[in-house]
Amino acid sequence: MTTEDESDESGRRSGLESTPETTVEPVSSAAADGTTDRSATASAETVSDPSDAFQALGNETRMGILDTMLERTDETETGVTFSELFEASTVDTSAGFAYHLEQLVGPYLAKDGDEHYELTYAGRKIARAIATGAYTRRVDHPPISLAESCPFCGEQSLAAQATDNVVAVACENCDRSLLRLGFPPSGLESHGESFPDAFDRHHRHRLGLMAEGVCPECSGEISSELVRTAPSTDDALPSEFEEHVQAAFDCEVCGTEVRCPVSLAFLDRPEVVSLYHDHGRNVRDRPIWNVGHEWTETILSEEPLAVRVVVELEGDVLALYVDERLDVVDVQRSETNASTSEGAADAAA
């Protein structure tokens, strides 16, 4: 039942983005004459080598320029002028400032003929990342008691604690860890003691993107599959969870990897949302560390792996049949709901 970001756990990949070495594809004849060719592939251009791009950031003045650009970008539609940027800096001479400014043009800044500057996509990404403190601040937060009970021992003894921008949710009674995931320092600082709620929403959104095949870090394509849990995880689980599988999400572009309970991959499914709504509940009220005992997972096949995920509310049963690629191949809902819905319709009539 644990949820882990394996890129954070192993440290083999960082959240930094780099532009892959690619060649520029020629413009198709369809694009040239104004028609749309939906089979055409995207073209890409290497603006700079990663080493050059990051070397351009290694100066306090240039960091200040990006910070000023981020502040002024939403205030103007025409870009920011040289004089505006120079006045906001602490550099003594315009010549020295111009040198630093030009080092950012290309990968991080675009300049038009009127000497106006705008942030490029990469410029916005790095400026916002710096503003979050992801690369400059480490935040620890003491344990915060959570209202939900432990899904393993049933005691109301869960706590969320942050160490070095990583949040861990664990049970203080049975000493089991439920999840361990990174969280931006800006989130920990701005939300204070309510950070567990923000943390839940943050990773619920990320898991939803992964389930849809999109990497929340780089927007690359995510591969999904059912996997057996690692031996270390098996050892930490109670005996009733020995036959256990997880949902595995993997981005081959940036290396983001996450393992989580299969149920968490389907919290946003329309059938699930509808089931909760029909019973006057909101599935979003259940945090990812304990979505409720109404959820069960049963292995249906070993080769290939297949799982049935069941949600039961007040005798109303929803079953999702999931194959080895985390595709839902069948959905069944009990007749209990059908009779309830018909009764509600008759009452409304």
Side-chain angles (χ1 to χ4, degrees), residues 4 18 147 196 327:
E4 296 181 351
S18 60
D327 291 326

Side-chain angles (χ1 to χ4, degrees), residues 13-331:
R13 293 281 191 156
S14 70
L16 295 174
E17 296 181 9
S18 60
T19 305
E21 294 286 344
T22 54
T23 56
V24 179
E25 297 290 339
V27 178
S28 66
S29 58
D33 62 16
T35 61
T36 301
D37 180 4
R38 295 188 181 275
S39 65
T41 58
S43 62
E45 177 185 3
T46 300
V47 177
S48 63
D49 293 329
S51 59
D52 293 335
F54 288 110
Q55 183 177 4
L57 298 172
N59 180 276
E60 184 176 352
T61 298
R62 298 169 202 171
M63 290 292 94
I65 292 172
L66 291 178
D67 185 50
T68 301
M69 287 295 303
L70 187 62
E71 292 178 356
R72 304 285 178 86
T73 293
D74 295 334
E75 301 175 0
T76 176
E77 297 181 358
T78 59
V80 185
T81 65
F82 177 92
S83 59
E84 289 174 321
L85 291 171
F86 178 57
E87 289 174 4
S89 74
T90 58
V91 181
D92 294 332
T93 65
S94 60
F97 181 78
Y99 168 78
H100 290 296
L101 184 61
E102 287 302 314
Q103 301 307 303
L104 297 173
V105 173
Y108 303 115
L109 295 179
K111 180 175 70 172
D112 64 21
D114 296 328
E115 296 296 312
H116 283 79
Y117 295 84
E118 295 181 349
L119 287 168
T120 63
Y121 173 81
R124 286 189 178 89
K125 290 285 287 184
I126 195 66
R128 287 170 178 164
I130 293 170
T132 68
Y135 309 126
T136 56
R137 297 199 300 278
R138 293 179 177 176
V139 179
D140 297 339
H141 200 291
I144 297 292
S145 296
L146 304 175
E148 297 74 29
S149 60
C150 173
F152 297 121
C153 70
E155 294 296 323
Q156 192 172 334
S157 52
L158 294 180
Q161 181 174 359
T163 304
D164 191 10
N165 306 336
V166 175
V167 174
V169 174
C171 178
E172 297 176 339
N173 179 62
C174 65
D175 200 30
R176 287 190 174 93
S177 175
L178 275 67
L179 59 80
R180 184 176 184 274
L181 295 167
F183 195 47
S186 55
L188 290 166
E189 292 176 319
S190 62
H191 292 283
E193 292 190 358
S194 65
F195 83 82
D197 291 334
F199 171 80
D200 172 57
R201 296 296 182 261
H202 176 80
H203 281 290
R204 186 186 294 266
H205 174 67
R206 288 170 60 86
L207 288 170
L209 281 176
M210 292 180 186
E212 294 292 333
V214 179
C215 177
E217 294 289 345
C218 72
S219 297
E221 186 175 3
I222 286 280
S223 62
S224 308
E225 62 178 335
L226 291 173
V227 297
R228 282 289 188 181
T229 54
S232 59
T233 300
D234 286 337
D235 293 341
L237 292 173
S239 58
E240 60 266 30
F241 290 95
E242 288 180 355
E243 293 296 319
H244 187 60
V245 295
Q246 289 183 312
F249 301 106
D250 183 13
C251 177
E252 296 183 359
V253 178
C254 70
T256 293
E257 297 178 351
V258 170
R259 304 289 182 268
C260 70
V262 181
S263 302
L264 294 186
F266 304 111
L267 295 179
D268 291 333
R269 290 245 351 157
E271 299 93 340
V272 173
V273 175
S274 177
L275 174 69
Y276 276 79
H277 177 74
D278 289 345
H279 290 270
R281 305 185 192 183
N282 187 343
V283 69
R284 292 180 179 273
D285 292 337
R286 297 293 183 85
I288 58 175
W289 48 83
N290 188 355
V291 292
H293 290 292
E294 63 264 26
W295 290 81
T296 59
E297 302 169 9
T298 304
I299 298 176
L300 301 178
S301 169
E302 294 284 352
E303 292 292 340
L305 275 174
V307 173
R308 180 178 62 235
V309 177
V310 173
V311 193
E312 182 175 357
L313 291 174
E314 300 170 356
D316 196 353
V317 180
L318 175 70
L320 308 176
Y321 292 83
V322 183
D323 68 11
E324 72 276 14
R325 296 300 175 188
L326 284 178
D327 291 326
V328 176
V329 297
D330 191 19
V331 179

